[in-house]
């Protein structure tokens, strides 16, 4: 129904605003708006006034606020996250929940959706951000990162802040993005109320402690009702779990239903298609989500490490910080990371090595040598290269990182395969430093996993990689190699839901005959019209190497037309080369076909990204 | 001249393939689009049918079909490419091109077919065009190597009568050229030839017959022509739709006896299909053979069965209407009559291995090639050896109807060098092999042939391994017995003319036939049905032993099993099943 002056109590201007807004709302938004208006009319507060994209959080915070807290001016907290795989986003959600429970008025937003002119008004800013590749911010932090580091950044003398950064110590630029934000906010005059916490791949404990500290800092600075709990005690109470019984910290033991190689005979690659049962777990997922797998280290490698140190494999050792005790062999197979060396590991190892050269290597002057050494080497190399050792089995808890779960984009639609989840895992195996190196999870999947076996898994939601809500919106999916996995999920879901919008997949690999992953699935989808266009590039079949970006450029005209029709673009797969090349190809297409200069094309693409129309899941 | 026999062409609704041909616009169809489709390595069925006319058809590695299906991969589609080489002759330059293409685009090996043609396997769809272009640049073609047209014309490679060979070969070439399809589609699709766009030319094209011999629907089925030079019947002239038997008098080629209506293919379980021997209908002079071929083809074009493909071969057309009808019809279309057939005698179908000096003083060496497969293996670098020879050879290469190879016209100067290369690589002239092995013929069958029901090329050598000790014990190591095996009853290795023959029924099971004439003038007869290796050995052993002791002077195995009553003689295909 169109609102008019004649059929509503609104002015013409109001009616027009409503008419413009209402058709764009999702059912969830309408439902929420009903509650909001009821609340609004009760005249409880005018707090929600200026909020935009984050009004939900603001209002629900006020709703939940204890009456006692309302008497004082409610505290505000702006929680900004930059997340690629969803970890930062999930942690930001936890912080928001925690603070709301304390009566804080919370604004929760991804960085690129945050209206930067609200930054100055924020009393507290909490940044949760991960770091990628060569110290790069995640996609949805890029524009905000640039804004904050640019000339237009406001002075923030009135602002208090803290940063949680996520990263991986095996990378050179560990947690760089978080560190940059931390430094920059200070430069802009903001006041740090809790020290930055840098999380390694095993982030749960550090992140919980940081959330508790922030919560404590806010409640103590408020001088409000509850006494601030100690950070440690509070940390234990912060659950990072989702709604399901099973989660990252309590993984589900999923039975392997199928494990087959998708690469045909004669291929130089091996890609496993795993089908896992979710039966009885209550776990569900959406297209774009990931599965985390807790893998098993190669028992042969564990054996060699134990032999190297002449240890007793049955000796009981700590399984982690929980106090649980398991055999040394079990610990090295299932609990600790043994295939990657990090700078902190080497620094700690000095204490256990009788070899002076190790102490020399970790000196700040030898940064480059250290970097070169840890590249491609593992614990066994370290043990062999820097003997003799004084280390005892009990010391591994101090020395080694927890074995982190491996994340894989889900390759199936839950609606198409109820109580199942499919994964696409490419075997990583190569020679380095005179030894064969095995990808932990991929080689397990390839060599030590059969139907009937079980894998510890959890579902990792990825809100930053989701098909468009509107079924008519065209989708362009670019996923060479295993990057095609989520698009099988997207398309299966569209098939199940009978989505009629156009879809276009760009796929590539080395050889057509052996490496066309899920070929017969795509052929069927093309035939049935679920997939509108499919363009493929096989790099090793022709003299000139051809990649997906070349196919994109060949189809530039049609591609741009789709963009202009509102298509969403999804890119999944290799970050280092593919994602960059595809990005460049998109810019070229926009430039050529849109008659834009490079700056305008970049702005066009940045806008797509801000609108959530250009989403990437790259690794 | 009044016609004695009035017959109507057989009616019935045209088969799907006939409709396809009509709609293909002279062999174009939707090939261009299907070839450029990158999502599948295959072609839709209809385009695959058309592709045959262009000398290729789709196959897949059947060994891994099921495995790939599970892996969510389509069958590993690949294309067989057959090259038209009249009489099996190629130059060293052409040999080198084929050798290179086998590695560059094929599966690494070349095959000499039972019709003296080159065959490449394992060519991917995206490489078809470049492969065909390279073949054409070497002045060879794949056009009409398969399909419902006249196929590669066979002729005896004949290193003995070197002066006759050049004449015979000339006519084989002439026949090939004369009967080649004239559609520009081949040129357009593969060689980037421009379409006829000029309006005047279009007008002209509209009035001019594109295919003056075939017409727009081509033939009802394939059509095979071979030229034999007695006493050798290596081309199995009686298996050809149209055969020419050279008549040499006083060392000069005076003409040919003409034979019609032979053919090997049949369908298991359908007694209306059968192999048939061609019958000699008269004599012609060399300059008449093109006219005879053209008119014979047009008779089959007009009277062949276009409703049921398995009844469409020329042999059924003749048997349906009678040989007399055909001869009358032919004379009618020729406007003149054949002379009475002349005397000739065949005495063998196999090759004569080893070095032979021709009357022109040039040398020839006939090499034994197992199953016609030219490949490098761990133990035998045959392909490399022939490449090295081709690099220095100044004569020609001749593929034989028995899938062997003659290196022909070797100068005295090069003989030692070529012989040294053969020795270096350990290439056999066959002298060290049993006569049975030298006389063996098999088709490709599994894994690439889509028609195969059982193994042939990959299995026959193993079976021979097991028969050799029996022959050895019986003192028959040097006895030539034609042994042939095909994976299906279509008869590519001409099993109905094998003294011992096996036609595949299912994996490991064969129908066993015996009793064909040693010189290819009598068909074999079914002796045991659906038997495996053990039964084959058990069946053959006592017969071989009896043959060793009871055979007459110079009596061949095929004649022996007929005389002693193992099988009845089959002198016409119509008696094949009775």
């Amino acid at each position: 129904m169109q609102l008019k002056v004649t059929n509503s109590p609104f002015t013409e201007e109001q009616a027009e605003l409503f008419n413009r807004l209402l058709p764009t709302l999702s059912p969830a938004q309408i439902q929420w708006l009903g509650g909001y208006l009821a609340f609004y009319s009760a005249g409880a507060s005018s707090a929600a006034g200026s909020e935009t994209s984050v009004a939900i959080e603001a209002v629900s915070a006020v709703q939940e606020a204890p009456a006692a807290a309302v008497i004082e001016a409610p505290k505000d907290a702006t929680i900004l996250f930059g997340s690629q795989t969803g970890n930062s986003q999930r942690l930001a959600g936890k912080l928001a929940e925690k603070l709301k429970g304390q009566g804080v008025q919370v604004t929760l937003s991804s960085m690129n959706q945050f209206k930067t002119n609200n930054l100055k008004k924020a009393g507290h800013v909490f940044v949760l951000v991960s770091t990628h590749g060569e110290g790069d911010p995640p996609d949805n932090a890029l524009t905000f990162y640039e804004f904050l580091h640019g000339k237009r950044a406001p002075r923030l003398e009135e602002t208090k802040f803290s940063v949680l950064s996520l990263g991986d110590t095996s990378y050179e630029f560990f947690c760089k993005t978080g560190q940059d934000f931390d430094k920059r906010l200070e430069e802009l005059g903001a006041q740090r109320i809790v020290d930055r916490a840098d999380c390694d791949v095993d982030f749960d404990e550090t992140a919980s402690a940081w959330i508790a500290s922030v919560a404590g800092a806010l409640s103590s600075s408020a001088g409000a009702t509850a006494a601030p709990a100690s950070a440690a005690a509070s940390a234990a109470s912060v659950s990072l779990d989702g709604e399901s019984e099973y989660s990252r910290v309590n993984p589900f033991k999923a039975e392997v239903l199928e494990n087959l190689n998708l690469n045909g005979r004669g291929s130089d690659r091996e890609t496993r298609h795993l089908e896992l049962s979710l039966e009885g777990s209550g776990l569900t997922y959406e297209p774009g989500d990931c599965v985390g797998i807790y893998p098993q280290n190669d028992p042969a490698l564990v054996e060699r490490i134990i032999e190297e140190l002449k240890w007793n494999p049955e000796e009981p050792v700590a399984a982690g910080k929980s106090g649980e005790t398991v055999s040394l062999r079990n610990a090295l197979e299932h609990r600790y990371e043994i295939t990657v060396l990090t700078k902190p590991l080497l620094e700690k190892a000095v204490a256990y090595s009788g070899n002076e050269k190790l102490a020399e290597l970790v000196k700040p002057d030898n940064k480059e040598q250290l970097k070169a050494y840890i590249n491609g080497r593992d614990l066994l190399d370290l043990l062999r290269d820097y003997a003799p050792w004084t280390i005892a089995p009990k010391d591994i808890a101090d020395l080694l990182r927890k074995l982190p779960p491996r994340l894989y984009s889900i390759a199936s639609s839950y609606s198409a395969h109820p109580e199942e989840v499919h994964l696409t895992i490419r075997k990583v195996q190569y020679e380095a430093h005179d030894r064969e190196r095995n990808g932990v999870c991929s080689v397990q999947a390839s060599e030590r996993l059969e139907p009937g076996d079980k894998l510890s898994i959890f579902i990792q939601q990825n809100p930053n990689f989701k098909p468009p809500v509107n079924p008519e919106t065209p989708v362009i999916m670019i996923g060479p190699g295993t990057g095609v996995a989520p698009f099988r999920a997207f398309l299966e879901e569209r098939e199940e839901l009978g989505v009629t919008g156009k879809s276009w997949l760009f796929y590539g690999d080395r050889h057509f005959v052996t490496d066309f992953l899920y070929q017969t699935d795509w052929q069927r989808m093309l035939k049935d019209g679920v997939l509108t266009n499919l363009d493929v590039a096989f790099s090793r079949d022709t003299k000139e190497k051809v990649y997906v970006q070349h196919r994109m450029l060949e189809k530039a005209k049609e591609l741009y037309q789709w963009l202009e029709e509102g298509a969403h673009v999804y890119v999944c797969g290799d970050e280092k080369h593919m994602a960059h090349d595809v990005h460049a190809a998109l810019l070229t297409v926009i430039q050529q076909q849109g008659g834009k200069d490079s700056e305008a094309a970049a702005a066009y693409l940045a806008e797509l990204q801000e609108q959530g129309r250009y989403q990437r899941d790259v690794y | 001249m009044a016609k004695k026999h009035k017959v109507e062409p057989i009616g019935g609704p045209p088969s799907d393939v006939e409709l396809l041909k009509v709609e293909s616009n002279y062999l174009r169809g939707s090939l261009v689009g299907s070839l450029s489709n990158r999502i599948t390595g295959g072609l839709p069925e209809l385009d695959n049918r058309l592709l045959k006319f262009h000398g290729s058809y789709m196959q897949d590695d059947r060994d891994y079909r099921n495995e790939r299906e599970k892996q969510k991969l389509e069958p590993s589609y690949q294309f067989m490419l057959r090259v038209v080489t009249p009489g099996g002759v190629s130059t060293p330059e052409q040999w080198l091109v084929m050798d290179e293409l086998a590695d560059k685009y094929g599966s690494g090996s070349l095959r000499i077919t039972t019709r003296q043609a080159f065959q490449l396997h394992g060519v991917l769809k995206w490489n078809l065009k470049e492969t065909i272009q390279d073949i054409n640049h070497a002045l060879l073609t794949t056009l009409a190597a398969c399909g419902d047209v006249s196929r590669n014309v066979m002729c005896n490679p004949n290193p003995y009568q070197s002066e006759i060979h050049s004449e015979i070969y000339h006519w084989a070439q002439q026949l090939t050229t004369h009967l080649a399809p004239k559609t520009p589609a081949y040129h357009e699709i593969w060689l980037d030839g421009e379409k006829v766009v000029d309006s005047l030319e279009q007008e002209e094209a509209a009035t001019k017959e594109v295919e003056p011999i075939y017409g727009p629907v081509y033939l009802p089925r394939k059509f095979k022509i071979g030229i034999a030079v007695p006493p050798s019947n290596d081309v199995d002239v009686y298996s050809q739709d149209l055969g020419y038997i050279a008549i040499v008098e006083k060392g000069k080629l005076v003409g040919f006896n003409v034979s019609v209506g032979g053919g090997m293919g049949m369908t298991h379980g359908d007694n209306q299909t059968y192999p048939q021997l061609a019958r000699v209908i008269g004599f012609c002079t060399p300059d008449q053979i093109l006219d005879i071929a053209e008119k014979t083809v047009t008779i089959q074009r007009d009277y062949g069965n276009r409703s049921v493909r398995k009844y469409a071969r020329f042999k059924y057309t003749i048997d349906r209407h009678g040989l007399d009808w055909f001869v009358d019809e032919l004379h009618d279309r020729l406007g003149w009559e054949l002379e009475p057939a002349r005397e000739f005698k065949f005495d063998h179908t196999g090759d004569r291995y080893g070095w032979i000096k021709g009357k022109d003083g040039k040398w020839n060496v006939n090499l034994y090639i197992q199953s016609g497969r030219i490949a490098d293996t761990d133990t035998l670098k045959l392909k490399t050896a022939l490449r090295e020879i081709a690099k220095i050879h100044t004569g020609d290469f001749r593929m034989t109807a028995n899938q062997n190879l003659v290196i022909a016209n070797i100068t005295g100067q090069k003989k030692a060098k070529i012989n040294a290369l053969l020795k270096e690589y350990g290439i056999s002239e066959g002298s060290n092999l049993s006569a049975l092995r030298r006389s063996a013929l098999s088709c490709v069958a599994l894994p690439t042939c889509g028609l195969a029901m059982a193994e042939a090329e990959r299995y026959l050598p193993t079976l021979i391994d097991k028969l050799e000790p029996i022959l050895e014990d019986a003192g028959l190591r040097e006895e030539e017995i034609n042994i042939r095996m095909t994976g299906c009853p279509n008869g590519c290795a001409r099993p109905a003319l094998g003294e011992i023959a096996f036609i595949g029924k299912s994996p490991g099971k064969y129908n066993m036939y015996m009793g064909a004439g040693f010189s290819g003038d009598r068909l074999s007869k079914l002796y045991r049905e659906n038997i495996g290796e053990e039964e084959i050995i058990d069946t053959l052993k006592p017969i071989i032993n009896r043959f060793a002791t009871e055979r007459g002077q110079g009596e061949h195995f095929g004649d022996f099993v007929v005389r002693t009553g193992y099988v009845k003689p089959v002198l016409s295909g119509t008696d094949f099943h009775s």
Side-chain angles (χ1 to χ4, degrees), chain A residues 125-296:
Chain A
V125 171
F126 299 106
V127 166
L128 299 91
V129 69
S130 54
T131 299
H132 294 270
E134 305 292 304
D136 302 325
D139 283 353
N140 62 4
L142 263 174
T143 46
F144 183 72
Y145 181 93
E146 279 165 14
F147 162 77
L148 203 68
H149 287 79
K151 289 200 188 107
R152 288 162 51 230
R155 294 297 299 171
L156 298 171
E157 265 88 9
E158 303 303 312
T159 307
K160 297 188 173 72
F161 79 97
S162 183
V163 173
L164 180 73
S165 46
L166 274 71
D168 181 340
T169 48
S170 65
Y171 285 85
E172 186 184 355
F173 300 100
F174 171 63
C175 284
K176 179 168 182 295
T177 304
Q179 291 162 4
D180 289 349
F181 274 118
D182 192 46
K183 189 165 155 241
R184 183 62 181 162
L185 286 166
E186 185 176 45
E187 278 172 13
L188 294 172
Q191 186 197 335
R192 189 181 293 107
I193 56 163
V194 170
D195 281 348
R196 186 189 80 241
D198 290 343
C199 301
D200 202 351
V201 282
D202 162 28
F203 57 77
D204 302 80
E205 285 166 23
T206 314
S208 294
W210 179 82
I211 289 172
S213 299
V214 168
L218 242 70
S219 65
S220 62
S221 71
T225 48
S230 80
S234 200
S237 72
V238 176
S239 161
L240 294 183
D241 297 0
E243 296 74 21
S244 167
E245 182 191 347
Y246 297 102
S247 66
R248 186 184 166 94
V249 292
N250 179 32
F252 174 67
K253 290 215 176 305
E255 186 181 339
V256 178
L257 300 173
E258 178 70 276
N259 179 1
L260 56 89
N261 182 11
L262 292 172
N263 291 101
R265 212 169 266 265
S267 176
D268 48 7
R269 314 200 134 185
E270 182 179 329
T271 314
R272 309 307 301 189
H273 172 74
L274 285 190
E275 298 183 358
L276 305 177
S277 171
L278 297 179
E279 203 181 328
S281 69
L283 290 172
T284 60
Y285 57 86
E286 289 174 7
D289 289 344
C290 297
V291 156
I293 299 179
Y294 284 98
Q296 177 204 32

Side-chain angles (χ1 to χ4, degrees), chain A residues 261 263 265 513 519 523, chain B residues 38 41 67-68 71-72 74:
Chain A
N261 182 11
N263 291 101
R265 212 169 266 265
V513 174
Q519 182 187 22
Q523 288 179 340
Chain B
R38 292 194 185 110
E67 175 180 296
R68 287 180 60 93
Q71 292 180 300
K72 303 177 192 295
E74 69 177 14

Side-chain angles (χ1 to χ4, degrees), chain B residues 20-210:
Chain B
L20 167 76
K21 285 186 278 186
V22 176
E23 286 163 13
S24 77
N25 183 22
Y26 295 98
L27 310 181
R28 290 176 180 88
S30 50
L31 264 176
V32 170
S34 306
L35 286 166
S36 64
N37 177 343
R38 292 194 185 110
I39 309 309
T40 170
L43 288 180
E45 176 56 23
L46 294 182
D47 282 325
N48 186 34
R49 288 274 187 177
L50 275 187
L51 186 69
K52 293 182 180 183
F53 289 82
H54 298 260
S56 174
Y57 53 84
M58 184 169 83
Q59 306 183 319
D60 73 281
D61 192 328
R62 293 173 59 187
D63 285 353
Y64 305 121
R65 200 184 273 179
N66 293 341
E67 175 180 296
R68 287 180 60 93
E69 188 182 348
K70 241 190 119 193
Q71 292 180 300
K72 303 177 192 295
L73 292 167
E74 69 177 14
S76 75
Y77 292 122
Q78 43 185 263
F79 291 81
M80 183 279 286
L81 263 183
R82 198 177 285 157
V83 178
V84 175
T85 43
V89 176
S90 65
T91 64
E93 292 74 29
Q94 289 170 335
W95 185 277
L96 289 172
V97 169
M98 293 308 300
D99 176 84
E100 192 193 337
L101 287 175
D103 291 334
K104 196 169 163 193
Y105 298 121
S107 54
S109 72
L110 278 173
R111 196 169 196 278
I112 298 173
T113 74
T114 53
R115 291 192 64 76
Q116 301 178 282
F118 279 116
Q119 214 162 270
L120 279 175
H121 291 268
V123 179
L124 298 182
K125 189 170 84 172
W126 353 100
N127 294 333
L128 269 177
K129 190 164 172 172
E130 281 187 55
T131 312
I132 290 176
Q133 287 187 348
D134 285 359
I135 288 168
N136 277 269
H137 288 152
L139 304 179
L140 293 167
T141 184
T142 61
L143 176 63
C146 325
D148 297 340
V149 285
S150 172
R151 303 291 189 82
N152 193 39
V153 175
M154 297 175 72
C155 84
N156 180 288
N158 204 349
Y160 304 88
Q161 298 147 287
S162 50
E163 75 291 357
I164 303 290
H165 179 261
S166 62
E167 271 187 277
I168 302 288
Y169 174 55
H170 166 80
W171 289 115
Q173 282 180 310
Q174 290 294 305
L175 284 164
T176 302
T177 311
H178 190 69
L179 296 174
K182 305 293 184 277
T183 171
Y186 184 83
H187 209 69
E188 277 169 31
I189 294 171
W190 309 107
L191 307 178
D192 296 324
E194 286 183 16
K195 285 191 185 176
V196 180
V197 283
D198 185 74
S199 61
L200 196 80
E201 283 182 50
Q202 262 180 345
E203 230 169 82
E204 222 174 286
T207 52
K208 206 176 101 190
E209 188 62 72
V210 177

Side-chain angles (χ1 to χ4, degrees), chain A residues 92-110:
Chain A
K94 292 293 160 192
L95 177 62
E97 211 173 287
K98 178 87 180 164
L99 295 184
K100 279 191 275 176
Q102 292 178 197
V104 177
Q105 188 178 311
V106 175
T107 298
L108 175 69
S109 173
S110 76

Side-chain angles (χ1 to χ4, degrees), chain B residues 185-465:
Chain B
Y186 184 83
H187 209 69
E188 277 169 31
I189 294 171
W190 309 107
L191 307 178
D192 296 324
E194 286 183 16
K195 285 191 185 176
V196 180
V197 283
D198 185 74
S199 61
L200 196 80
E201 283 182 50
Q202 262 180 345
E203 230 169 82
E204 222 174 286
T207 52
K208 206 176 101 190
E209 188 62 72
V210 177
E211 293 285 7
I213 298 175
Y214 293 120
V217 206
Y218 297 85
L219 295 182
R221 282 284 269 142
K222 59 188 169 189
F223 194 88
K224 296 178 172 181
I225 302 178
I227 309 177
V229 184
S232 174
N233 186 21
D234 59 343
V235 300
D236 269 327
V237 75
Y238 300 120
S239 73
Q240 313 283 345
D241 291 284
L242 173 61
Y244 295 99
I245 300 161
I247 303 298
V248 180
E249 290 170 1
K250 294 175 191 157
K252 291 261 185 275
L253 178 73
V254 295
F256 300 89
N257 280 351
V258 179
S259 65
V260 293
M264 289 289 102
M266 60 172 179
T267 304
H268 278 319
D270 184 346
N271 288 358
Q272 289 183 65
T273 66
Y274 50 84
Q276 181 60 290
L277 294 170
R279 279 135 288 168
V280 175
I281 57 169
F283 173 85
C284 71
T285 55
D287 60 319
Q288 293 172 326
I289 77 172
L290 295 185
D291 204 8
I292 292 168
E294 181 183 317
K295 299 302 185 292
T296 304
V297 161
T298 60
I299 294 170
Q300 164 66 352
R301 178 196 69 195
D302 298 340
Y303 287 93
N305 188 329
R306 291 185 184 265
S307 192
V308 185
R309 280 183 71 76
K310 62 179 178 175
Y311 303 147
R313 286 289 298 273
F314 183 46
K315 59 184 173 183
Y316 303 121
T317 310
I318 288 190
D319 290 356
R320 185 166 57 245
H321 301 305
L323 192 62
D324 292 344
W325 158 79
F326 171 73
V327 174
D328 283 351
E329 183 70 29
L330 177 65
H331 287 169
D332 200 38
R333 292 194 184 204
L334 286 171
W336 50 269
E337 296 195 2
L338 295 170
E339 291 174 36
R342 309 244 174 127
E343 281 292 305
F344 68 96
K345 190 176 183 310
F346 287 132
D347 64 19
H348 64 277
T349 57
D351 289 340
R352 294 289 170 259
Y353 298 93
W355 286 91
I356 292 142
K357 194 173 188 178
K359 287 196 178 143
D360 56 1
K362 297 268 183 69
W363 287 91
N364 307 276
V365 60
N366 192 341
L367 304 175
Y368 166 77
I369 312 283
Q370 180 165 293
S371 302
R373 181 65 68 184
I374 294 166
D376 281 347
T377 66
D378 291 342
T379 49
L380 187 69
K381 305 279 179 245
L382 175 63
K383 186 162 174 290
T384 302
L386 293 173
R387 176 168 61 244
E388 293 305 317
I389 289 169
K391 284 181 188 168
I392 60 162
H393 184 37
T394 50
D396 52 67
F397 287 90
R398 298 179 194 166
M399 296 178 276
T400 81
N402 291 302
Q403 300 175 289
N404 293 312
L405 185 67
V406 178
I407 305 173
N409 278 329
I410 303 171
T411 59
Q413 203 191 358
K414 289 278 157 61
K415 186 189 177 217
K417 277 189 184 171
I418 287 175
N419 204 22
L421 281 168
L422 291 173
K423 289 247 152 49
E424 182 188 335
Y425 287 96
I427 307 306
S428 164
E429 301 155 19
S431 50
N432 57 333
L433 302 170
S434 74
L436 182 75
R437 195 177 293 273
R438 292 198 304 261
S439 311
L441 208 56
S442 62
C443 70
V444 176
L446 295 171
T448 50
C449 178
L451 301 168
M453 302 170 192
E455 299 282 350
E457 177 185 332
R458 293 197 296 194
Y459 171 60
L460 184 58
T462 314
L463 180 63
I464 291 175
D465 286 343

